[in-house]
Amino acid sequence: KSVLMLVPEISLTPMMMEYFIRRFNNNVAILHSELTPAEKYDEYRKIAKGECQVVVGARSAIFAPLKNIGLIILDEEHTESYKQDVTPFYHAREVAIMRSKMHNAKVLLGSATPSLESRARAQKNVYHLLKLTKRVNKQPLPQTIVVNLQDYHNIDRESYILSIPLRKALRKVLDRGEQAILLINRRGFSTNVSCRSCGHIFKCPTCGIPLTYHKSLNILKCHHCDYSMPYPDICPECGKNYLMKTGFGTERIEEEVQKLFHDAKTLRLDSDSAKIRTKIPSIIESFRKKEANVLIGTQMIAKGHDFPDVTLVGIVLADIGLSMPSYRSSERAFQLITQAVGRSGRKDKEGLAIIQTYNPSHYAITMAARQNYEMFYETEMKMRRQQKFPPYSFLASLTISSKNEDLTISSTINIKDFLDAEFDDKALVLGPTTPYIPYENEMHVRNLLVKFKDYELAKAVFNKVLKSYASKTQINLTINIDPYNF
């Protein structure tokens, strides 16, 4: 029997790949996005010929041509990267389940914070639930402190980004010769640049979203399409130099730590500092060797790492995830905070986690601070039931786009009217709505969202819509079932 193991792309480092190759004596194939076409061909040919029994890879590895699968493993199964939200749409978990039925194999979904869909299926005995109630080394969970950033007692003139409790805790950690991790799930230096004179906001000409300032390169960059431009000296609208930077990301946090703690040696790990895959393990290994005592980064640092000397985790702004325009925002925030808190105190030293937030009473934050997944699950499921979101219904996101904005709007309205008539009262059609990125690749975009329970009915209706628009070349229509981002 063969084993197919999927891990999030972010975790598939050279270090992990070397471990699998060493552990299984080269009887393993590795699949990921940075392989060259020739390397991918070699790996797929090796798999198809049956020359390896273990395949490890990211999302697309679920389609590896293994012929005799006995076990499929999805590590961190809650990770949103397992869902491909561009055509062709698919979720690696659902493909894994389908392939397991074809091969009479087992599927193992592993996570400290399972997705609500998987946990609900386990509750209904569709899945078999296994719980690990203790850490591997039986160490207690770290003490967790929630810092209210609205309380002026927690902030002073020295820094409005790092609170007084976090700075005190970081000072103690540095004095003891230990290490700390600071998480801010936002890269760059400032998230917004505008003109104080005329109010002009620098936006991406392709996507229409605000550009982020990256101080290390002195550029403005779009985090959606990677458009970039040199940081301007003056405003293009009024010609004045009253440019103002607001918001903060990993670069700004690193500068703040270096300013406040002169003895701190910092490393930064985000998709900017680790564009080359080999840089990720080198940064992690440098931190493990204590060449730095503070690691600053995005969600890349929150999952799977085991640093014995990390005794402090600071979540600089826990509210970022909660502000995302998605019904999954609370779930994602809870998962990220819980995973990050778990990086502290993993060996023989007591750990501390400090969560900074403007919303200290939000259930995702309070329950993540307690590391109480079951309570969060019950609370979030009540919210999902009231709003008829998954797992209490299916979702479909319809994206309509055209170079002509009027045609986009009229077509969206026509599709909504058609869906209302076809579904009658058997589905709820929401919209039209303008997405967060309303203009992309010279196309105007509008969305419709459909909540439904009868999958076969919905499939038939959607096929009718797709068929009717197949010949209309000026309009693009895509339908994404159970989208993760919309």
Side-chain angles (χ1 to χ4, degrees):
K1 293 283 187 179
S2 300
V3 177
L4 176 57
M5 180 174 180
L6 267 61
V7 299
E9 180 91 29
I10 202 171
S11 304
L12 199 57
T13 61
M15 191 183 303
M16 176 182 281
M17 290 185 266
E18 287 172 13
Y19 167 80
F20 277 105
I21 292 169
R22 188 172 63 251
R23 176 67 178 80
F24 295 103
N25 300 318
N26 287 320
N27 188 23
V28 60
I30 308 289
L31 298 172
H32 57 81
S33 62
E34 291 192 14
L35 293 176
T36 65
E39 289 171 332
K40 285 181 182 178
Y41 175 77
D42 289 341
E43 293 296 283
Y44 271 93
R45 186 174 60 174
K46 183 167 68 172
I47 296 166
K49 286 184 175 181
E51 296 176 359
C52 59
Q53 284 184 286
V54 180
V55 175
V56 181
R59 179 178 61 213
S60 62
I62 194 61
F63 299 108
L66 281 170
K67 295 175 183 176
N68 190 23
I69 302 174
L71 176 65
I72 302 176
I73 302 169
L74 266 74
D75 185 38
E76 304 288 0
E77 70 87 24
H78 66 274
T79 305
E80 61 187 79
S81 63
Y82 283 134
K83 173 64 195 287
Q84 178 160 296
D85 264 338
V86 295
T87 52
F89 303 113
Y90 70 92
H91 197 301
R93 181 181 61 230
E94 306 309 318
V95 180
I97 292 169
M98 181 192 71
R99 293 199 73 182
S100 72
K101 292 176 181 177
M102 294 167 62
H103 291 263
N104 195 27
K106 296 288 185 183
V107 177
L108 178 63
L109 307 176
S111 176
T113 54
S115 63
L116 263 68
E117 289 87 345
S118 295
R119 183 64 180 81
R121 288 174 182 172
Q123 188 127 328
K124 291 182 178 180
N125 294 320
V126 177
Y127 298 165
H128 182 63
L129 180 63
L130 298 171
K131 292 184 179 180
L132 296 175
T133 57
K134 297 178 182 178
R135 280 178 156 184
V136 174
N137 56 6
K138 298 182 180 179
Q139 278 288 101
L141 291 169
Q143 177 193 357
T144 308
I145 299 171
V146 177
V147 175
N148 183 1
L149 294 177
Q150 294 190 64
D151 185 348
Y152 68 91
H153 292 103
N154 292 324
I155 301 293
D156 60 14
R157 292 182 179 179
E158 196 171 5
S159 175
Y160 73 92
I161 296 175
L162 303 180
S163 66
I164 295 171
L166 180 54
R167 295 204 307 269
K168 286 181 178 179
L170 187 53
R171 180 70 271 162
K172 289 179 181 178
V173 165
L174 296 177
D175 290 343
R176 292 196 301 261
E178 296 167 356
Q179 292 177 298
I181 290 175
L182 298 180
L183 171 73
I184 173 80
N185 203 23
R186 185 188 281 159
R187 54 196 171 106
F189 188 86
S190 298
T191 56
N192 188 288
V193 177
S194 59
C195 176
R196 283 183 292 179
S197 178
C198 69
H200 173 73
I201 298 173
F202 288 85
K203 293 184 177 182
C204 175
T206 304
C207 306
I209 60 175
L211 296 170
T212 298
Y213 174 57
H214 289 253
K215 188 174 182 179
S216 59
L217 301 173
N218 198 36
I219 61 171
L220 295 176
K221 186 177 181 181
C222 174
H223 286 173
H224 180 72
C225 71
D226 281 340
Y227 166 85
S228 64
M229 60 175 281
Y231 183 74
D233 295 322
I234 59 172
C235 173
E237 293 293 319
C238 67
K240 296 182 180 178
N241 61 350
Y242 301 137
L243 301 185
M244 174 176 62
K245 307 180 192 77
T246 55
F248 53 87
T250 49
E251 279 190 34
R252 178 65 189 277
I253 300 303
E254 185 174 31
E255 183 179 276
E256 194 83 356
V257 170
Q258 291 170 347
K259 180 186 77 175
L260 296 169
F261 304 93
H262 300 296
D263 56 337
K265 296 178 181 178
T266 62
L267 283 170
R268 180 165 54 89
L269 184 58
D270 53 31
S271 55
D272 294 316
S273 62
K275 282 184 178 178
I276 304 171
R277 181 178 290 272
T278 53
K279 286 196 71 176
I280 299 175
S282 67
I283 293 171
I284 292 171
E285 194 58 26
S286 295
F287 190 63
R288 195 184 304 280
K289 290 178 180 178
K290 301 193 74 172
E291 293 173 10
N293 43 24
V294 181
L295 178 63
I296 300 154
T298 57
Q299 60 180 340
M300 297 176 77
I301 64 175
K303 301 170 185 176
H305 303 300
D306 190 7
F307 303 113
D309 283 313
V310 169
T311 55
L312 173 65
V313 167
I315 299 168
V316 179
L317 191 57
D319 307 315
I320 291 175
L322 294 174
S323 63
M324 296 299 290
S326 169
Y327 73 95
R328 295 183 185 273
S329 59
S330 295
E331 181 183 7
R332 288 173 177 169
F334 174 85
Q335 290 167 343
L336 182 59
I337 295 169
T338 302
Q339 297 272 345
V341 168
R343 299 311 103 204
S344 179
R346 295 181 66 86
K347 292 299 180 183
D348 55 350
K349 299 174 183 177
E350 290 185 6
L352 173 65
I354 294 179
I355 303 169
Q356 296 188 160
T357 174
Y358 288 99
N359 198 354
S361 61
H362 194 285
Y363 64 92
I365 292 174
T366 58
M367 293 171 193
R370 299 177 200 166
Q371 298 278 286
N372 193 332
Y373 174 83
E374 293 300 327
M375 188 178 292
F376 171 79
Y377 169 76
E378 291 176 10
T379 306
E380 182 67 8
M381 286 291 279
K382 289 177 184 176
M383 303 290 288
R384 298 279 182 94
R385 187 186 298 114
Q386 291 172 3
Q387 299 165 353
K388 296 181 181 178
F389 276 122
Y392 293 100
S393 70
F394 294 106
L395 280 186
S397 174
L398 282 74
T399 302
I400 302 95
S401 60
S402 172
K403 290 186 176 181
N404 186 315
E405 186 173 14
D406 291 335
L407 183 58
T408 303
I409 295 170
S410 62
S411 298
T412 306
I413 293 170
N414 290 337
I415 292 171
K416 177 181 169 59
D417 291 341
F418 176 82
L419 293 176
D420 284 334
E422 288 287 320
F423 280 118
D424 196 13
D425 60 347
K426 295 175 183 174
L428 179 62
V429 183
L430 302 174
T433 59
T434 303
Y436 177 64
I437 301 173
Y439 183 70
E440 186 174 9
N441 297 326
E442 299 183 349
M443 304 286 276
H444 298 275
V445 185
R446 294 295 183 273
N447 284 342
L448 293 171
L449 186 67
V450 183
K451 298 180 183 180
F452 60 95
K453 290 193 174 183
D454 190 332
Y455 193 89
E456 292 304 317
L457 171 63
K459 185 177 177 181
V461 172
F462 292 149
N463 280 334
K464 284 184 184 179
V465 176
L466 288 170
K467 188 176 180 181
S468 66
Y469 275 83
S471 60
K472 297 181 180 180
T473 56
Q474 290 184 307
I475 284 287
N476 293 329
L477 170 63
T478 59
I479 301 178
N480 185 2
I481 305 297
D482 282 339
Y484 266 51
N485 300 296
F486 57 85

